[in-house]
């Protein structure tokens, strides 16, 4: 069974993430979305909120699971029996950090592969931080976040 893991902060999940999730879930038997701690970032949404938003966005999808983990990604890969890390690349600016992560993870376990997917062009400018900025200022976020999640995101900022 081919188990892939799509890790990230998902603070909060965007339509850009959903595009990667849809595409990745078609090329494996099981896709685990891993909500992890990125020590370089201070999350706005709690781990529970980020997991809940992802679950709400996904509904019932038989081969997709959402989980959280607070250690190293490579350890989570082993816990899941997963073979492949899926990452989305939007622009050259993502590359340096992603290369470092991929090489580091390869160094720690050469059997684990990192696979990059190019983000769909319409989401190439989108990020969770842009969504947070719009929501904080009460601007429309519906085009950028999965159906049914906007309300909970606004609520975080006391908007609408
Ligand atoms: O969505 P992000 O913030 O770009 O995702 C980055 C994330 C969470 C996937 C990355 O920070 C990560 O893998 N964190 C888990 C801890 C880890 O394994 N760090 C790399 C070795 S120091």
């Amino acid at each position: 069974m081919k188990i892939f893991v799509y890790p990230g902060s998902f603070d909060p999940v965007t339509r850009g993430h959903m595009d990667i999730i849809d595409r990745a879930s078609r090329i494996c038997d099981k896709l685990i979305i891993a909500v992890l701690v990125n020590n370089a970032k201070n999350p706005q949404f709690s781990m529970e909120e980020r997991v809940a938003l992802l679950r709400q966005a996904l509904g019932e999808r038989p081969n997709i699971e959402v989980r959280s983990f607070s250690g190293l990604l490579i350890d989570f890969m082993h816990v899941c029996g997963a073979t492949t890390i899926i990452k989305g690349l939007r622009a050259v600016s993502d590359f340096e950090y992603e290369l470092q992560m991929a090489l580091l993870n390869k160094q720690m376990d050469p059997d684990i592969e990192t696979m990059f997917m190019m983000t769909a062009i319409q989401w190439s400018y989108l990020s969770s931080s842009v969504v947070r900025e719009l929501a904080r200022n009460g601007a429309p976020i519906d085009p950028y976040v999965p159906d049914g999640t906007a309300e909970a995101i606004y609520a975080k900022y006391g908007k609408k």
Side-chain angles (χ1 to χ4, degrees):
M1 172 136 124
K2 252 193 299 187
I3 303 175
F4 289 9
V5 167
Y6 177 39
S9 302
F10 303 104
D11 185 40
V13 59
T14 69
R15 288 189 192 266
H17 295 130
M18 295 304 284
D19 167 58
I20 300 289
I21 291 168
D22 286 337
R23 287 156 57 198
S25 69
R26 280 186 231 123
I27 56 167
C28 63
D29 299 307
K30 183 171 163 189
L31 180 68
I32 300 174
I33 302 167
V35 184
L36 298 184
V37 176
N38 181 341
N39 277 315
K41 295 179 183 171
N42 206 354
Q44 175 72 41
F45 292 83
S46 71
M47 193 62 108
E48 292 71 28
E49 288 170 329
R50 287 179 273 152
V51 168
L53 283 171
L54 272 159
R55 292 208 171 120
Q56 198 174 332
L58 282 159
E60 269 309 304
R61 299 274 284 268
N63 72 330
I64 305 180
E65 239 179 67
V66 184
R67 292 207 220 163
S68 60
F69 193 73
S70 58
L72 291 180
L73 173 58
I74 205 75
D75 292 333
F76 182 72
M77 296 299 288
H78 297 148
V79 168
C80 298
T83 55
T84 307
I85 299 164
I86 289 283
K87 286 295 198 113
L89 280 183
R90 286 166 300 195
V92 182
S93 50
D94 284 337
F95 182 79
E96 219 167 313
Y97 173 75
E98 294 302 343
L99 177 67
Q100 183 186 18
M101 288 298 126
L103 294 178
L104 194 67
N105 286 322
K106 193 80 187 162
Q107 180 72 30
M108 288 190 282
D109 185 344
D111 291 333
I112 302 279
E113 219 40 82
T114 300
M115 253 177 67
F116 292 98
M117 281 188 165
M118 297 304 151
T119 300
I121 191 80
Q122 76 262 38
W123 308 125
S124 58
Y125 60 90
L126 184 57
S127 65
S128 295
S129 59
V130 160
V131 167
R132 293 197 301 273
E133 188 70 14
L134 293 172
R136 189 179 297 123
N137 290 285
I141 57 169
D142 302 75
Y144 311 120
V145 299
D147 293 343
T149 62
E151 211 167 307
I153 296 168
Y154 280 130
K156 190 81 192 165
Y157 297 96
K159 301 282 176 189
K160 283 199 183 157

